[in-house]
Amino acid sequence: MRKVSLGFCGVVLGLLLLAPAVFGQDFGNTMTESRLFNVEMGFLAGYDFGAEETVTGSSTALNLAILENAEIGFVRVSFSSDDGVAVADTYNLLRFNYFFTQQLSLSLASGAESGSAAGSLGGNFLLVRSIPEDGFSSTMKINVQYLFNEAAGIGDGTLGISLLGTIGL
């Protein structure tokens, strides 16, 4: 007969008790944009201080709620020059959103743009927020952010204003 250590039994018992605690949570009292995750899409306009021109673009993201007032997201922001033909900059970022209230959050991100380190600092204001107890959640928000990269320097970044929508669980 094989002996099982007391430590192993403790770990198994802990995992068995942890699963109901994690999956049995009440996600209804959240300040984030969704209880679990959401997909975000939208359009933006801004000004590129380095090129001294207006830009337009799009933003897509996958956000995951990690706390009742915080979420992380994988974000892709693409800018086109003012002629709208060529993509000028594409940022791939890991973003952290911290919610002060159900309508206001701070957004910090870091990642890369065209092979150089990049970052972003901004804020979100939720215009419409719907998180029912069962089913899909949705929001519409205004985002203001300043994006910059290492190659151009912090002073030659892009200030963008976005109208974004999310749908998630």
Side-chain angles (χ1 to χ4, degrees):
M1 187 163 171
R2 193 173 190 171
K3 290 186 177 182
V4 179
S5 72
L6 187 59
F8 177 75
C9 289
V11 169
V12 170
L13 183 61
L15 290 175
L16 289 174
L17 294 175
L18 180 65
V22 170
F23 293 108
Q25 291 184 35
D26 179 22
F27 291 104
N29 296 331
T30 183
M31 285 196 285
T32 60
E33 297 177 51
S34 60
R35 293 181 304 279
L36 298 174
F37 71 93
N38 65 61
V39 177
E40 172 185 295
M41 298 177 79
F43 300 99
L44 55 103
Y47 186 78
D48 185 343
F49 290 101
E52 297 182 356
E53 66 179 2
T54 58
V55 293
T56 58
S58 63
S59 176
T60 56
L62 172 64
N63 299 308
L64 306 167
I66 56 172
L67 297 170
E68 68 181 23
N69 62 346
E71 63 186 18
I72 59 170
F74 305 97
V75 184
R76 181 177 177 93
V77 178
S78 297
F79 289 107
S80 300
S81 59
D82 59 355
D83 60 6
V85 177
V87 174
D89 297 312
T90 300
Y91 290 83
N92 295 304
L93 305 168
L94 177 63
R95 177 178 65 195
F96 176 76
N97 287 334
Y98 181 81
F99 287 80
F100 297 106
T101 68
Q102 290 184 351
Q103 281 78 32
L104 187 63
S105 70
L106 173 69
S107 179
L108 302 169
S110 66
E113 188 275 321
S114 300
S116 66
S120 168
L121 174 64
N124 301 304
F125 183 77
L126 279 70
L127 300 170
V128 177
R129 181 178 185 270
S130 173
I131 302 180
E133 286 187 28
D134 295 331
F136 292 104
S137 62
S138 61
T139 61
M140 180 175 284
K141 65 182 177 179
I142 293 176
N143 170 276
V144 177
Q145 62 184 337
Y146 185 74
L147 296 120
F148 53 90
N149 63 41
E150 181 182 29
I154 292 177
D156 288 335
T158 302
L159 180 64
I161 300 174
S162 311
L163 181 60
L164 303 165
T166 68
I167 188 164
L169 285 177

